[in-house]
Amino acid sequence: MAIQNATLNFNTINISAQIGDIIYYTPVSPLGGFDQGALTNTIMLGPILNITTLPNGTIDILVEFDNSITSLPTIGDFISFAKNKSVNTSSLLGYYASVNFVNDSTGKIELFSVGSEISESSK
């Protein structure tokens, strides 16, 4: 087992990416003018160890991976990540929640739907 660290550089990343999330990548190939990738070809790279924003605005993500099992993604591969399910649950806890919606787009954007779930936990 040869555990190594690799740095992946991005112009932007999803704001919810955090240390401990698992990075996956899917090799893509052009087909009919679109990049195509198959779920069966998705490869687990490893956990995020660090996220650094550089002075030029790009973001470096330090990932730990086993190079005896997998190789690094190449330019053009689709990169995704998954949350640690034992830490990040889908429900909010507590008596109060505040949500802030931000639109960074310069074009017209419409919000289709917003939903919430309430379950009584105490009286």
Side-chain angles (χ1 to χ4, degrees):
M1 207 161 96
I3 301 295
Q4 291 187 343
N5 294 339
T7 301
L8 306 176
N9 184 267
F10 300 95
N11 292 328
T12 61
I13 62 168
N14 186 303
I15 196 164
S16 66
Q18 64 188 39
I19 295 171
D21 292 350
I22 305 297
I23 297 285
Y24 293 86
Y25 71 94
T26 306
V28 295
S29 59
L31 180 65
F34 297 96
D35 289 336
Q36 304 285 319
L39 182 60
T40 55
N41 294 337
T42 299
I43 301 163
M44 183 182 86
L45 188 59
I48 296 175
L49 301 178
N50 194 22
I51 300 174
T52 307
T53 302
L54 302 175
N56 65 0
T58 61
I59 297 128
D60 277 352
I61 296 181
L62 183 65
V63 180
E64 180 181 79
F65 75 105
D66 185 348
N67 72 351
S68 65
I69 296 173
T70 185
S71 60
L72 290 173
T74 59
I75 293 174
D77 288 350
F78 180 75
I79 308 289
S80 58
F81 66 94
K83 296 290 195 185
N84 182 341
K85 289 183 173 67
S86 65
V87 177
N88 296 285
T89 60
S90 62
S91 301
L92 297 174
L93 299 177
Y95 295 99
Y96 173 79
S98 176
V99 178
N100 184 25
F101 294 97
V102 178
N103 178 10
D104 293 332
S105 176
T106 57
K108 181 180 177 183
I109 300 295
E110 293 183 19
L111 180 62
F112 177 73
S113 175
V114 175
S116 65
E117 177 182 314
I118 300 170
S119 55
E120 188 177 0
S121 62
S122 64
K123 288 187 176 191

